[in-house]
Amino acid sequence: MLLNVAPGAPLTEVLCVTHENRTPHSLSRIYIPRDLMPASLPAPADIATHLTELRPPLAEVRETARSRLPTHEEATTLRISASLAVLSITRVALDTTGRVVEAALLIYPGDRADALFITNYPPEERPPSP
């Protein structure tokens, strides 16, 4: 439902597990409409660059963060206790036509999570300085 597409519509799912040394640090599932992703997936380090080049300019990004207990799969992947809270962030990016061009589910173990949110406005859309 995050992408506002019909059930069964072709999507690309990118699963990323980042590590700090040998410890899993985060789990990300990124969903992209198939027409915005190349037929062959780029190298993991190049995915962000490819997505930026292929998708239309973004008009809005909605992010929701909450603390919750991990699912069994999340606890196993992140090698944490099922009783340790995780920081769960849902990010939905929309283009200027209102089309959802990316949905991401980001999971961070609660004992080692930092979140920084930065919104850059194009120069013509910057709010006036006080």
Side-chain angles (χ1 to χ4, degrees):
M1 255 344 215
L2 290 176
L3 286 167
N4 290 333
V5 296
L11 298 175
T12 298
E13 177 185 21
V14 179
L15 173 64
C16 301
V17 179
T18 60
H19 292 78
E20 279 189 7
N21 299 317
R22 294 180 166 249
T23 305
H25 186 263
S26 69
L27 169 64
S28 304
R29 292 182 185 279
I30 304 167
Y31 301 93
I32 305 125
R34 184 68 50 87
D35 62 317
L36 296 178
M37 195 67 189
S40 61
L41 287 177
D46 298 330
I47 288 176
T49 302
H50 281 279
L51 292 178
T52 303
E53 292 170 354
L54 292 172
R55 73 176 173 218
L58 297 181
E60 181 177 304
V61 177
R62 300 174 188 164
E63 294 175 301
T64 304
R66 67 183 180 116
S67 178
R68 62 170 175 78
L69 292 177
T71 65
H72 176 73
E73 177 189 5
E74 292 165 349
T76 301
T77 301
L78 295 170
R79 293 187 230 147
I80 60 173
S81 165
S83 62
L84 176 68
V86 295
L87 176 62
S88 173
I89 300 173
T90 302
R91 180 180 65 223
V92 178
L94 294 89
D95 69 9
T96 55
T97 68
R99 178 184 181 199
V100 178
V101 294
E102 176 188 320
L105 307 172
L106 315 169
I107 307 297
Y108 300 91
D111 65 340
R112 52 185 181 260
D114 293 315
L116 171 64
F117 300 95
I118 297 175
T119 302
N120 292 308
Y121 295 95
E124 65 277 359
E125 295 180 17
R126 287 190 194 275
S129 298

